[in-house]
Amino acid sequence: DDSAPHIFDPDEMRERMMVSKDVLATEGGPLTLPTPRSERLYTPTRWFTAPGLIPPPPDPSIIMGCTMSCLLTAADPETFPPQIGPFTLEESVAHYKKLEEMGCEGCLPNIDDVMVPRECWEGWATTA
């Protein structure tokens, strides 16, 4: 789920994953790039006179999944067309294979920056 707010109650979902073990939920989010990216940011000069307004520089080896999806669409719109709404399994697999080919790695399963315990998700890939 990459919606905000979530389409489910995060506390109830974590409990269900721990107790019932019949569902697995996680957030989309950051991807680790194989090589750091470069970017140019414009910062208005007035920000330098107001302490606390300048955000810390982003980690150049991390990119958010939604940003990467947009970049894939811009680079290859025939393979990765713009989309609103749910993805099909085929579309998800195509994105996954492209990210894997590029050497990107995903974050560990989490909901609201709380890690999903390993026992909740370990083995899902072999049983699904």
Side-chain angles (χ1 to χ4, degrees), residues 12 17 34-35 45 49 54 56 67 86-87 96 102 105 108 119 124:
E12 289 179 10
M17 288 189 297
T35 56
T45 9
T49 60
I54 302 173
T67 305
F87 274 66
Y96 177 79
M102 294 169 62
E105 294 183 6
L108 290 173
E119 60 268 17
W124 271 75

Side-chain angles (χ1 to χ4, degrees), residues 50-126:
L53 285 182
I54 302 173
D59 181 339
S61 64
I62 301 290
I63 191 167
M64 294 306 290
C66 54
T67 305
M68 178 60 87
S69 180
C70 292
L71 292 172
L72 290 177
T73 295
D76 187 357
E78 288 186 27
T79 305
F80 305 105
Q83 182 163 349
I84 296 174
F87 274 66
T88 65
L89 176 61
E90 292 78 17
E91 290 165 326
S92 296
V93 169
H95 276 82
Y96 177 79
K97 286 184 176 182
K98 183 63 174 179
L99 293 172
E100 194 173 50
E101 175 188 312
M102 294 169 62
C104 295
E105 294 183 6
C107 61
L108 290 173
N110 71 89
I111 299 174
D112 285 344
D113 296 327
V114 175
M115 298 308 294
V116 174
R118 182 175 290 278
E119 60 268 17
C120 292
W121 53 268
E122 195 170 57
W124 271 75
T126 56

Side-chain angles (χ1 to χ4, degrees), residues 10-28:
D11 295 326
E12 289 179 10
M13 182 58 72
R14 279 190 287 273
E15 182 177 344
R16 182 171 169 182
M17 288 189 297
M18 293 293 293
V19 177
S20 301
K21 299 181 190 251
D22 64 337
V23 67
L24 176 63
T26 186
E27 291 181 356

